[in-house]
């Protein structure tokens, strides 16, 4: 498994392609690939563990081992191709999959490849590292632009990004543009009506029904929106919750 050393240097991992150069010893130099068992094979010394070492530390380890066959060997290890620098994305908010990072990448740099975040529940997204949730605020980073919340990604990080299907509020019936709107803090019934284009001329404005499912129970809440708009009765401006159905009834007259 690859990661970063305490000094921030890259750590070699399974699948990486390495160029091993032993000064003055062409037969001992060449390109090798780190096997799934974390080892590489070199002439004269055989199998050597490479995964878990920075290139500098691996160079020192190889020099120590080659000293048995070469007088004061000078060894350089260069990472040619990084193939184990994998990031895992899941949750349904964006296409799930495995991404290989070619270079050091921050969470923000990685996520902006997805572009639009309207279908994502940023409030419940998280970064998982070594089995533990990191203290990362996706909403502050991506919506508020607080780059201080950005963090560098590390190999084997897992990013959970759920969709916000549960945050949809469906507005239907006698409104100009029946559709769903996304929940946000402080959203009220009048906001939802306005976002769907307002009432049609057939709407029963004082007969708006909010259907709310909580667990196995269903609650119906009536709102007299006409009284709210005409008389300023704020008690009728009901707070909405994620998953609510707003039904504007229609008059036949």
């Amino acid at each position: 498994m690859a990661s970063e050393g305490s000094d921030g240097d890259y750590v070699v991992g399974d699948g990486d392609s390495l160029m091993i150069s032993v000064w003055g010893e062409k037969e001992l130099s060449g390109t090798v690939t780190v096997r799934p068992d974390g080892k590489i094979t070199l002439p004269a010394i055989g199998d050597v563990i490479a995964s878990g070492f920075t290139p500098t530390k691996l160079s020192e380890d190889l020099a120590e081992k080659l000293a048995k066959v070469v007088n004061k060997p000078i060894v350089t290890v260069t990472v040619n191709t990084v193939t184990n620098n994998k990031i895992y994305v899941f949750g349904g908010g964006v296409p799930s999959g495995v991404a290989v990072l070619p270079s050091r990448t921050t969470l923000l740099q990685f996520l902006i490849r997805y572009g639009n975040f309207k279908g994502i529940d940023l409030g419940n997204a998280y970064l998982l590292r070594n089995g533990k949730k990191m203290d990362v605020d996706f909403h502050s980073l991506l919506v508020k632009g607080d780059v201080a919340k950005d963090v560098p990604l590390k190999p084997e990080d897992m990013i959970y990004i759920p969709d916000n299907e549960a945050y949809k509020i469906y507005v239907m019936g006698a409104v100009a543009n029946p559709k769903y709107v996304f929940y946000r803090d402080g959203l009220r019934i009048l906001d939802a009506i306005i976002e769907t284009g307002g009432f049609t001329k057939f709407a029963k404005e004082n007969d708006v029904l909010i259907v709310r499912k909580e667990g196995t129970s269903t609650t119906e809440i009536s709102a007299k929106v006409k009284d709210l708009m005409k008389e300023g009765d704020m008690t009728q401006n009901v707070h909405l919750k994620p998953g609510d159905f707003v039904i504007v009834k229609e008059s036949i007259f």
Side-chain angles (χ1 to χ4, degrees):
M1 180 184 297
S3 59
E4 286 189 355
S6 58
D7 58 356
D9 288 341
Y10 179 74
V11 174
V12 174
D14 306 353
D16 284 349
S17 174
L18 309 177
M19 177 62 195
I20 310 296
S21 299
V22 183
W23 190 79
E25 301 289 341
K26 290 185 178 180
E27 67 276 10
L28 297 178
S29 302
T31 300
V32 295
T33 300
V34 183
R35 303 196 302 264
D37 61 1
K39 297 179 180 180
I40 58 176
T41 301
L42 295 181
I45 59 174
D47 289 348
V48 179
I49 294 176
S51 287
F53 289 92
T54 65
T56 299
K57 292 296 183 182
L58 181 57
S59 297
E60 295 172 355
D61 185 60
L62 293 177
E64 182 179 340
K65 289 179 169 58
L66 284 168
K68 299 176 182 179
V69 294
V70 176
N71 184 33
K72 296 182 179 180
I74 299 174
V75 182
T76 301
V77 175
T78 304
V79 180
N80 285 338
T81 306
V82 175
T83 61
N84 73 304
N85 198 12
K86 295 183 177 67
I87 302 296
Y88 303 88
V89 183
F90 65 109
V94 297
S96 298
V98 181
V100 178
L101 304 183
S103 60
R104 293 182 183 180
T105 305
T106 69
L107 178 62
L108 178 59
Q109 290 171 335
F110 179 77
L111 291 178
I112 57 177
R113 69 178 63 187
Y114 294 107
N116 195 316
F117 296 99
K118 288 184 177 180
I120 294 175
D121 178 8
L122 294 174
N124 288 306
Y126 60 80
L127 173 63
L128 197 65
R129 180 172 295 164
N130 297 324
K132 297 181 180 179
K133 288 185 180 180
M134 301 289 291
D135 184 18
V136 179
D137 188 335
F138 281 66
H139 187 271
S140 292
L141 176 62
L142 294 168
V143 177
K144 297 182 179 180
D146 186 357
V147 294
K149 304 295 184 182
D150 201 10
V151 295
L153 293 177
K154 293 187 178 182
E156 303 301 315
D157 276 352
M158 305 183 78
I159 304 175
Y160 174 71
I161 306 178
D163 63 32
N164 54 9
E165 181 68 32
Y167 277 65
K168 291 178 179 177
I169 294 172
Y170 293 86
V171 185
M172 57 191 70
V175 291
N177 184 26
K179 63 177 182 177
Y180 62 77
V181 298
F182 286 110
Y183 172 81
R184 59 182 181 273
D185 290 341
L187 185 70
R188 294 173 180 260
I189 184 67
L190 186 57
D191 300 319
I193 297 297
I194 292 173
E195 287 187 35
T196 52
F199 293 118
T200 69
K201 63 181 180 179
F202 302 108
K204 296 176 68 175
E205 299 175 10
N206 263 355
D207 197 359
V208 179
L209 185 66
I210 301 165
V211 179
R212 179 171 297 162
K213 293 183 178 181
E214 296 178 307
T216 57
S217 63
T218 300
T219 304
E220 294 186 354
I221 304 169
S222 295
K224 297 180 178 181
V225 181
K226 182 177 180 179
D227 289 353
L228 166 63
M229 295 188 298
K230 301 294 185 180
E231 302 175 14
D233 185 358
M234 298 304 296
T235 63
Q236 300 302 314
N237 202 10
V238 180
H239 278 284
L240 298 178
K241 292 186 177 182
D244 279 352
F245 285 80
V246 177
I247 304 170
V248 180
K249 295 183 180 181
E250 188 174 86
S251 172
I252 60 175
F253 301 103

